[in-house]
Structures are given as C-alpha cells and as structure tokens.
Amino acid sequence: MTYKDKRLPNSFYERNDVVQIAKELLGKKIYSRAGGILTSGIITETEAYSGTNDKACHAHLGKLTNRTATMYENGGRAYIYLCYGIHHLFNVVTNVEGKADAVLIRAIEPLDGKDVIIKRRNFKIFTPKITAGPGKLSQALGINKNMNGENLITSSVVWIEIGDYILAEDEITIDKRIGIDYAEEDADLLWRFYIKENISVSKY
DNA sequence: GGAAGGATGCACT
DNA sequence: GTGCATCCTTCCA
C-alpha cells in the first residue's frame, strides 16, 4: 500500500449520508503539516451537520456567503472557520457539490508530534485532554483558516487516513450535539458520536 | 463603516 | 456545574 493509498478516497466523502460518515470517521487519523511540522491524531469525536434543512448548520435554508461557500463544494474538502473570534473549527465537507453537508471534528487523540502539540497549546506536560475539543485540536494541529478549502485527497498540509481498525457499533457512543441551543428542535438530534470510554473526548 | 455574532474554553466554586 | 471573557470575521448597509 503506497503512502497515498492510505488516504480516504473521494468516494468515502461523497456519499449522501453525513451521519453515517460522521460515525465512520471515528478511529480514522487526521494529519497536518502546518509550518512543515507533521502532527496527527486519531479522531475520537465528531458531529454531523446536514446542509440546508439543519437549523444548526451554517448553510441552513441555503444560506450562501463567502464563509459558507466551502461547504457547498464537493465532498473531501476542509471547511475551517473562526468561532468566537478565537477558535478555528475544523470540518470535513461531505456529499456532492451543492449539498453543504459537513462533519465537525470535535476531538482527537494525539499520535505524531506530541511535543509540538504541547508547545502549541502552551502546556508543560502531555495530557489526553490536550486535544479534547474542536478549538483545542485545531490549535494543537496548527490548523487555521488558510487551510479552508484544502482538498483532503491531494493536500500536502492537511489530510485524513484510514485507521488501524474499524470500530464496532458498540464501541461508539451517540449523543446530542453541543453548543447549538439556538437550533431549536434540531438541537436534540443525536448526531454527535464519540469513541466509548476514550479519554480524549470533549464532553461525556 | 459598523454592528453582531458565535458548532468554545477555562477558571472558579 | 456554572459563569463569563473574548475578539476577529462576517455580512450588510
């Protein structure tokens, strides 16, 4: 298997089921080469955001702005935006062009470059919680909005590879999404997924 | 030019 | 568990 074959293919992202993709992304590996330094982690927590019908989604009701334009692109892109003026949040665009589905990566378990991650996060020692949260993992991996729109299949700065094994259904916990109380009834959708009993998760 | 946000994080009890 | 700092970007006028 060559280096590039480890990456998830376009066909993984282009499926018309963002909830299923969010679930399957658990256990996969996310890589970044910000500033030429390789860092990576296992995805431990995700949330699904489903296009124009989802009140929590930035593309709700077909809202199309400069910021959300990336979400409408074909699956397999990175959608990165700034939240609270401080935190960069990393999403994976799914489905085909025009649908605006995306999966938010909420937490990872660090693999490569732990020393760099500690430095970027301004920590003294390593802790599994260092990347347990969407703002935290972006900071740890050096993800910023310059990577918005990057193609995860061909990019040399950010990409996702297959994991070492496939998680069984009973290894996944399902819960409500977080921080979207404004989304009314859609705030109760069980579209958040995390690896059961994993310590690198933002909220239990 | 300016108002308003906002898919959080952290400190504190 | 709860409170609140925060602040750059976005979007519209």
Side-chain angles (χ1 to χ4, degrees):
Chain A
M1 185 179 280
T2 69
Y3 182 64
K4 249 189 175 163
D5 288 338
K6 288 186 179 176
R7 295 195 187 194
L8 295 175
N10 271 312
S11 56
F12 177 88
Y13 301 106
E14 289 170 358
R15 288 173 294 163
N16 182 25
D17 189 345
V18 67
V19 173
Q20 180 63 24
I21 294 171
K23 210 188 283 187
E24 291 182 18
L25 277 171
L26 293 175
K28 302 292 190 287
K29 299 182 200 169
I30 179 168
Y31 286 80
S32 87
R33 207 197 306 274
I37 305 169
L38 184 71
T39 49
S40 72
I42 298 169
I43 297 172
T44 57
E45 181 177 353
T46 63
E47 281 181 6
Y49 287 84
S50 183
T52 56
N53 292 321
D54 178 3
K55 287 184 181 171
C57 183
H58 292 158
H60 180 225
L61 297 180
K63 190 177 169 79
L64 175 59
T65 63
N66 280 333
R67 183 179 72 152
T68 62
T70 308
M71 283 184 92
Y72 289 86
E73 291 185 27
N74 204 41
R77 303 299 185 99
Y79 168 49
I80 298 160
Y81 79 99
L82 192 65
C83 181
Y84 295 103
I86 310 167
H87 312 291
H88 294 279
L89 270 54
F90 180 84
N91 301 253
V92 176
V93 178
T94 73
N95 214 325
V96 294
E97 191 174 347
K99 295 290 188 183
D101 286 357
V103 176
L104 170 68
I105 309 299
R106 290 189 53 86
I108 64 168
E109 179 183 325
L111 286 178
D112 298 297
K114 286 186 188 171
D115 51 334
V116 181
I117 288 172
I118 291 168
K119 194 183 290 183
R120 284 190 183 136
R121 294 276 296 122
N122 222 5
F123 275 46
K124 290 190 177 63
I125 54 160
F126 177 79
T127 145
K129 287 281 175 193
I130 202 166
T131 49
K136 298 182 191 175
L137 77 89
S138 298
Q139 187 185 6
L141 297 182
I143 287 169
N144 59 62
K145 71 185 187 66
N146 294 333
M147 298 181 189
N148 185 36
E150 281 286 330
N151 184 322
L152 299 173
I153 288 86
T154 60
S155 175
S156 58
V157 293
V158 59
W159 66 93
I160 297 176
E161 296 186 5
I162 58 172
D164 294 330
Y165 65 101
I166 307 248
L167 288 167
E169 193 77 14
D170 64 5
E171 292 178 276
I172 297 171
T173 302
I174 301 175
D175 207 345
K176 294 199 296 192
R177 291 181 289 181
I178 290 177
I180 51 155
D181 293 341
Y182 58 84
E184 302 171 17
E185 75 274 14
D186 286 345
D188 293 328
L189 289 170
L190 300 175
W191 281 3
R192 171 170 169 257
F193 307 97
Y194 58 89
I195 299 178
K196 198 170 281 187
E197 291 171 11
N198 188 290
I199 195 163
S200 298
V201 164
S202 71
K203 190 163 179 263
Y204 302 99

